[in-house]
Every structure is written in structure tokens, then in C-alpha cells.
Amino acid sequence: MAYLKTVKISRRAWHDLEPELLVLGLFQEQNLSPFHRDVDARSGGVLSDRLAAGDFSGKLNETLMVYSTGPARRILMVGMGKQEEFTLDRLRQVAGTAAKTAQAGRITQVVTEIPGRETLKETLETVSRAFVEGMILGSYKFLDYKSDQEEETVLQSVVLIHPVSRKGVHRAVTVSEAVCFVRDLAAHPSNVVTPTRLASEARRIARVPGMKCTVFGRQQFVKMGMEAFGAVARGTDEPPKFVLLHYTGRPGAETSVAFVGKGITFDTGGISIKRSKSMHEMKFDMCGAAAVLGVMKAVGQLKPEMNIVGAMACTENMPGGHATKPGDIVRAYNGKTIEILNTDAEGRLILADALSYVAKNFNPRWMVNFATLTGAVVVALGHWASAVMGSDETLIQEIMKAGELSGERVWHLPLWDEYSEDIKGKVADVKNIGSPGQAGTIAGGAFLKEFVGDISWAHIDIAGTAWWDKDRPYAPSGPSGVGVRLGLELLNLLSRAGG
Ligand code: BES
Ligand code: ZN
Ligand code: ZN
């Protein structure tokens, strides 16, 4: 847990704040605002000098550190790209770049205004939120296993010069903390973040008014009829957990939204074992469950007036003397039989039970699941978007909208009935793989669809977005914490839609 913790708002002038570092955003057009001109004037013209010399072009995320004898010893210029192309997500990026550059210069305190806010059409609250999210998420580092933390500088505090929305800052801090919590959970290895650990994190999250946590162990959930989940968990000695969080923000009303997450704390593939190259990355196979935890953690603090359920199926997928074998047949919670032809397509098995359990026991108005379900989605969309598919066009549209607003983009894939032909079983009702080489991501969705009944449902495949091998402006390489900002934005939209 290392990230920017203190965000203050000040109505004082920048030069009274004795900034260790002053951040200035500049568009490519290099049109100076009154704020820029004031800084320039009080700093001996250092900005206009560097601009005239052509040292800085203003391209998005370009940086130039300048030194002055004025009120701020250092001024960091951050490029914001072309003014007409500026967006909320570019603002997040600029903020993240500023935080990272400050840290690289071993600077722990920053003063800044929110740059470019007049250019954006969004409200001051939304703009303030995006900027603070960018700063906190950009400052994030996972240092838990570094013995020598002295080497690492993490930004400690930011002072934002008015106008800033206090509400926006507050929400950004809550949301970003939840994202960093998810990044941490995912970054920990599988010998630390076990299903038991995920369950205990859920119990901790439930320590707020209105939140309840229920955890079922192996014997209990198998007895309840969750044989598909049981089949995946057979090969491991690490105790599996079915974890439920239940938040009541509107007593007496029905459950409006349920989030369901894939929590495979390590995916070896089981008997259909994976190649060893990159297998270590399969510690990230719990990112769906972690996203649900992150959403529920923030829900507990933001307290929306809705009833929300979070469900997580958590287990390792291991080979072993008791492990499920290709061809084995099990009966899921909703009574459908499944032929398990590939034990590496385990995510859809645990979700089959989790989705049908939530559908039957909570009957939510909307049900959304997050899962690192298929390698095929990385082929289709790369790392830039999660795939969404489901049974309700309206819900999917709201998810796409939430994706744009949050910066966690989502792209819609079809789930036409014809795709269900591919997962029809030979001897059982369904099989857990589609036709080789054909629409692998959609086959996963078509399989899940068999277990949701008539609930309005969407499946979000985050296998390409849950972690990256490259640094980005507001996320270091590693787990991204995807799903938290998307899910919370979706709750916002759905509550307006009468959730
Ligand atoms: N956890 C994997 C999906 C995955 C692969 C996520 C690569 C991130 C990166 C999932 O359990 C899996 O192994 N899926 C198989 C399904 C196949 C056997 C139908 C896959 O994608 O190869
Ligand atoms: Zn797998
Ligand atoms: Zn998996």
C-alpha cells in the first residue's frame, strides 16, 4: 500500500504555499493562462524562456522540470496535447504523469491547480475527481516485498488550488483507495492471497453499517448443489471459499445490482495443464473477485441508496490425485449438467454456480460479472478494452457509458443464440469449451448465459485489462485494478435509471 494519501484544497495563492514543486499543465498550442503568466512573472520569465527556446512542445504527457529562484524552487511543466482533443481521461493521465515525475525526482509535496478544467464540458466535481484519481493512481507502487524501501519515493501530499470540488476530491480518494487495494491484492502472490485471505478481506469490508458477509466452505457449497465450483476446487488442498457481501442502502427494497467475480487465486489449468512459460501470471486470475471486493469496499464508504450484492467464487485450480479429469460430468447449482472437456476453462465453471446462486437467491434487477475468462479476449481487443456481452442491451449500453466515463473502456461482443450451438454437450446439457479457434471469448459468454436464467445480465471479460506489462501514465505495469472504477460508475448510472 504505497500511494499519495493526503490531498488538500487551498484558497491561498500558489506563491504563498511555498511549493516544493509546482505543477503546470500546458496545451500544445502553448496559450498561457493568467495563472501561467503569473507563475512566469514571479519566476523570472523562466517559462516563457524555455518555451521560446523550444524546449517544450506540450505533447500529451511530455514533461520538463525547470528551476527558479521564485516562490517555487521547481516547476514541472506537463504536456496536455491538443486543446481540442483534451478529455477527462487525458486529465487523469496528466495528473498521473505529474505524480510519477515528482516521485522520480524524489519530491514528496506538490502544489497544483487543476489544469484545463475550462476546456472540459464536465462539472467541476467530475473534473476534480478525475484529476485526483490520476494523481493517486499514478503515485501507486507495490513495495510490500522490497526490503530496501528507502530507495523508493512516494508522493505524500498534494495541495490543490481553488476552484476545486471538495465532493469530487472526496469521492476520488475513496475510489482510488479501493483501486489501490485491488492492485495490492492482485500483486500479492498466490501463497499470500489465498481464498481464505479473500474471505477475510471481505469480512473486514463488512465492518461498516449496512454490510453483511457470508462465507461458505467446500463442504457447504458442494452440499448446496454447487458441483461445478466443487469440480474446480477438487484438485487443491487450499480451502476454497464462496464469499458473499450484502449491502443494504435501501432497506425493504429489492436487490438492484449484483456483482459476481472469478476468484481463481492460481490457475495451473488443472489436468489440462498450462505451459510453464508465463504461468506465474496466473496469480492474477482472481482479478474479477478482487474487483468485486474493491467495488464493495467503496460502496461501504460511499453508501449509495441501493441494495447491492457482491459474490466471489474463490479457489485454486490445481492438478492432483483428486482433480477433475477431462470428460468428467457435473451438475451445476441450477440443475444443468456440464461436460468438463478442458479443466483449464475453469472460470466459467465456478461462475456457473455463482451466477445461478445469486440469480436464484437474490433475484437482482441487474447482474454483472467480472472475470479474467479467456486468453482470446487479449487477441481480440489487446489491453485497451474489456469485452462485454450479455442478455440486456440497455445494461450493456450503460456499461459502455460507464467505461467511457471511468476511462476503463469496454467493447461489446455479440451473444447471438447461434453461438450457443457451439457449447451444446454431446452427453451432458453443455460442454465447457466451444469450437477450437472460433470466438473463444464469446463461447465463454455463451456458456455463462446458460446459468443466469432471465435476469438482466452482462459478463465482462477482463483478461486483457486486469494487468499490463507496460507502465502507463496512471498505472505502473502489473495489476490495474480494473473493474472498480467501472463498477462504481455503473452503479451511479443505474441508480439514476431507477435502481
Ligand atoms: N485464466 C485463463 C484465461 C487467461 C488466459 C487470462 C491468459 C489471462 C491471460 C482461463 O482460465 C483459461 O485458461 N481459459 C482458456 C479457455 C480455453 C481452454 C477454452 C484459454 O483462454 O485458453
Ligand atoms: Zn484456466
Ligand atoms: Zn482461469
Side-chain angles (χ1 to χ4, degrees), residues 262 267 274 282 285 342 344-348 372-376 378 432-433 463 467:
K262 167 177 174 181
D267 183 10
K274 289 182 182 293
M282 285 300 129
D285 214 18
N342 189 321
D344 197 10
E346 84 297 340
R348 61 198 74 184
T372 48
L373 207 71
T374 63
V378 192
N432 77 330
I433 51 170
W467 76 95

Side-chain angles (χ1 to χ4, degrees), residues 255-258 260 355-368 390-393 395 448-449 451-459:
T255 301
S256 56
V257 186
V260 181
L355 288 167
S356 47
Y357 180 92
V358 170
K360 176 156 182 244
N361 293 280
F362 295 100
N363 191 30
R365 171 74 185 81
W366 290 289
M367 180 159 72
V368 177
S391 61
D392 179 345
E393 203 56 38
L395 177 61
L448 296 179
K449 192 174 154 190
F451 302 91
V452 296
D454 51 13
I455 304 271
S456 167
W457 155 83
H459 153 55

